[in-house]
Amino acid sequence: MATMWMAVLGIALQARIAAPPEGIIDLTGPWRFRTGDTAAFASPALNDAAWTTMIVPGRWSVAGAPAYRGFGWYRLRYTVDSLSREPLGLRLHAVAAAYEVYVDGLRLGGVGALPPRYRARSGIPVVFGLPTLAQLPGEHLIAVRVYSGESSGGLVGRVSLGSLKDLVDEERRRDYSLLATALLLLGIGLYQIFFWLRRPQALEHLYIFLSCLALACFFVSWMPSVRLFLEPAIYWHRPYLAFAATSLAAFGFAFRRIFELDDNRFLAALSVFFLALVPVVVFAPTPGQVLAVGRYLVYPAALVWGVSIVGLAAVQVRRGVTHARPLLWGTLILLATLAHDILADWGIQLVQSSFSWLILFGAVAFVASLAMTTATKFVETETAALYDRLTGLYRREVVLDALTREIRRAARIKQPLAVIMLDVDRFKQINDPLGHQAGDKVLTEVGRRMVDAGRAVDWLGRYGGEEFLAVLAATSKAGAVLAAERLRTAVSALPIATGRTARTVTLSAGIAAFEGAGEWPTTETLIGAADAALYRAKNDGRNCVRD
């Protein structure tokens, strides 16, 4: 008996509203509850002292009405001390599965549809404006008529009372935050399209774009205003889970491409599993089955996916793959936020909040880290396409393209241009007896010394084998001779280690120049002239420069 009176006193104290209201009051705690359905349950005159006490938020399947399917009524009385200066509002965060709300016997509205045209629509936050009479000083009654044909029902989210403006502004902030996150993710995805158009064979960029697009749609479908807009036509959890599964699948395919894990069948199977879940959540017959697919298939698979990505990224970091490090940290952040939200859905609340802001941070951190990873890999790939891996000089194709451009520029503005063809003397006497590894060491060191001795504006490249080509813009024949002597001296200045011994390596160089007047030379003409000059340098005893 004493316990019952304490509960009644708790309700009265919890629902007492000061005027003007200070912030938003959560009407959590004990409410009156009864199964069944009659219009009299909405009346303030009804004596509900004999009704069951039910804790809100909570499901009635675990709080006194196990496996109950049908109508249930919730009632709570609140007291207004004095006339409020601002209109008051009532917000219901989530009700399973369809409901109507009454205040002082007046119907304010609802979500979903009650029998005989039952339409389950749980998890949609709605703000109702209180009638003027319900804001006058005195005692008032909130009554919520709930129907669930699923495995559980009830007021599963918080109920809040306060300034109508504050309640509406709070919902708008959630809308804006989710929309901003979606636009940010979409922007990152469009950024990936740029990389994909540059390198169509790099499908990881296309996968990331598709994943970002699906993830942006995921957050848009989560917006309270969008959920309410979709309510008459579709249960919002269907696109919500479908976009989540699609995004995770695309990210899995992208990860395999980024780190060339085509033989990793587990990650491929997990991505295919997520894609297979999409038609399941879209065409599941009942909302209860949609929620079950999310709770028992999508969410556990998402945790397995996160742990797998973390493990694979850690392996790549240990192997020295530099662009794997940001992805490792981004995935760890996403995994932590995913675990928090999934555990909350399973009833284990680690951080008390009416809205999960953590997943927004986790998703943005993960996508940003993935974009950083792919951008780093793109730069590395583009760099590898420009430079010879052994010598660090430009590749042959790059230098020839540069020569073509410089010829046109020199002829147009009438300025000189010079080409130097260089060759390592007696390279076969190093490569054949000492082996290719010794020859590679020599070419690597020759390339390094030439870079140190050359100008930043010069194009120095490996032409083929032990031959090198230098393109010197705005340089006369005399200037090219000085530059060639500088390169030759830099290479021969100190012996080069070849493994067991160190040898002095020399260069021969041939020069061809265009002085900026007369007929335009072709690429073949200049290179042919430089090659002929190089041939003369070889015949004159090597380790010299000829033009």
Side-chain angles (χ1 to χ4, degrees):
M1 189 69 175
T3 303
M4 184 189 73
W5 281 111
M6 287 179 66
V8 173
L9 179 60
I11 293 173
L13 291 175
Q14 179 181 336
R16 182 171 295 278
I17 301 174
E22 297 179 359
I24 298 172
I25 300 172
D26 278 334
L27 303 181
T28 56
W31 284 51
R32 291 301 188 184
F33 175 77
R34 179 173 173 174
T35 58
D37 185 47
T38 177
F41 290 167
S43 174
L46 179 72
N47 185 355
D48 55 17
W51 286 26
T52 303
T53 298
M54 186 78 72
I55 300 298
V56 173
R59 302 177 183 274
W60 66 43
S61 60
V62 295
Y68 174 69
R69 288 175 169 83
F71 281 100
W73 280 79
Y74 289 80
R75 288 165 56 100
L76 178 70
R77 299 182 186 275
Y78 67 93
T79 301
V80 177
D81 291 339
S82 58
L83 188 63
S84 174
R85 297 178 182 176
E86 297 184 11
L88 298 180
L90 176 69
R91 178 176 60 202
L92 282 76
H93 287 276
V95 181
Y99 71 94
E100 295 176 335
V101 60
Y102 298 82
V103 174
D104 291 344
L106 298 175
R107 184 182 181 278
L108 303 186
V111 171
L114 304 177
R117 298 181 178 180
Y118 173 56
R119 184 176 71 245
R121 294 290 187 266
S122 60
I124 302 176
V126 182
V127 176
F128 302 96
L130 294 185
T132 303
L133 293 178
Q135 303 180 46
L136 297 177
E139 186 178 82
H140 304 278
L141 173 74
I142 301 171
V144 185
R145 183 192 184 199
V146 181
Y147 182 86
S148 177
E150 316 307 317
S151 59
S152 64
L155 300 183
V156 297
R158 294 174 179 270
V159 181
S160 304
L161 192 62
S163 165
L164 179 62
K165 180 180 180 301
D166 291 345
L167 291 170
V168 171
D169 287 346
E170 191 171 281
E171 290 304 308
R172 285 177 178 169
R173 283 195 295 271
R174 293 172 181 174
D175 265 351
Y176 296 154
S177 298
L178 289 167
L179 181 59
T181 303
L183 292 175
L184 177 60
L185 295 173
L186 187 59
I188 295 175
L190 292 174
Y191 179 63
Q192 294 296 313
I193 286 292
F194 163 77
F195 292 128
W196 179 60
L197 293 176
R198 287 284 303 273
R199 295 178 59 239
Q201 70 276 16
L203 291 178
E204 60 268 24
H205 300 295
L206 179 60
Y207 289 140
I208 295 173
F209 165 72
L210 295 175
S211 183
C212 288
L213 179 62
L215 196 56
C217 293
F218 165 85
F219 282 114
V220 169
S221 68
W222 197 13
M223 293 169 57
S225 61
V226 173
R227 284 186 259 176
L228 188 60
F229 175 78
L230 294 176
E231 185 269 330
I234 187 173
Y235 181 36
W236 70 274
H237 254 98
R238 294 184 189 273
Y240 174 84
L241 292 174
F243 287 131
T246 302
S247 179
L248 292 172
F251 275 133
F253 288 130
F255 190 91
R256 293 176 72 240
R257 293 281 305 186
I258 292 171
F259 298 107
E260 300 176 357
L261 300 175
D262 294 337
D263 58 340
N264 191 307
R265 296 182 180 180
F266 175 75
L267 193 57
L270 194 58
S271 297
V272 172
F273 175 74
F274 280 122
L275 289 179
L277 289 178
V278 174
V280 174
V281 298
V282 170
F283 299 108
T286 66
Q289 291 171 343
V290 174
L291 292 175
V293 171
R295 185 168 298 164
Y296 303 116
L297 291 178
V298 177
Y299 297 161
L303 289 178
V304 173
W305 175 91
V307 172
S308 302
I309 295 295
V310 167
L312 292 172
V315 170
Q316 297 299 319
V317 170
R318 285 199 299 270
R319 290 177 177 174
V321 181
T322 55
H323 55 262
R325 193 175 299 276
L327 183 59
L328 174 60
W329 286 108
T331 309
L332 281 171
I333 294 173
L334 177 64
L335 180 59
T337 58
L338 274 177
H340 168 269
D341 280 17
I342 292 172
L343 290 174
D345 186 77
W346 291 345
I348 306 172
Q349 190 79 28
L350 302 179
V351 178
Q352 295 296 326
S353 174
S354 60
F355 182 74
S356 180
W357 300 101
L358 291 178
I359 191 63
L360 274 68
F361 172 72
V364 171
F366 173 73
V367 172
S369 70
L370 193 61
M372 188 183 304
T373 297
T374 54
T376 304
K377 184 184 178 184
F378 179 85
V379 171
E380 292 175 353
T381 304
E382 289 290 293
T383 302
L386 292 175
Y387 294 97
D388 176 66
R389 186 171 297 181
L390 182 62
T391 63
L393 303 176
Y394 287 114
R395 294 176 60 191
R396 173 182 175 139
E397 297 83 359
V398 176
V399 179
L400 292 179
D401 287 343
L403 177 57
T404 301
R405 293 194 304 270
E406 292 296 341
I407 289 174
R408 292 173 181 172
R409 190 164 71 94
R412 186 176 64 252
I413 63 177
K414 301 187 182 309
Q415 71 174 15
L417 171 67
V419 171
I420 307 174
M421 184 72 76
L422 305 103
D423 185 79
V424 178
D425 295 328
R426 297 186 174 88
F427 183 72
K428 289 181 67 66
Q429 295 181 9
I430 300 173
N431 206 47
D432 291 351
L434 299 179
H436 291 290
Q437 290 184 345
D440 288 348
K441 289 182 179 179
V442 169
L443 292 178
T444 299
E445 182 61 20
V446 167
R448 187 191 67 80
R449 293 184 182 185
M450 289 178 66
V451 170
D452 291 343
R455 300 181 304 178
V457 294
D458 296 337
W459 294 86
L460 292 172
R462 185 182 181 188
Y463 191 71
E466 67 274 17
E467 284 189 315
F468 303 91
L469 179 65
V471 178
L472 283 62
T475 303
S476 64
K477 183 184 292 187
V481 170
L482 294 176
E485 288 290 352
R486 190 167 60 249
L487 295 173
R488 185 186 64 80
T489 304
V491 171
S492 61
L494 294 172
I496 297 176
T498 58
R500 291 169 293 183
T501 61
R503 292 196 176 193
T504 298
V505 176
T506 62
L507 293 178
S508 297
I511 297 172
F514 168 62
E515 298 299 336
E519 185 180 354
W520 291 15
T522 64
T523 301
E524 293 78 9
T525 302
L526 279 177
I527 292 179
D531 196 43
L534 173 63
Y535 183 76
R536 290 197 298 274
K538 292 286 188 181
N539 287 337
D540 291 346
R542 298 181 174 85
N543 192 24
C544 61
V545 177
R546 295 291 182 265
D547 57 49

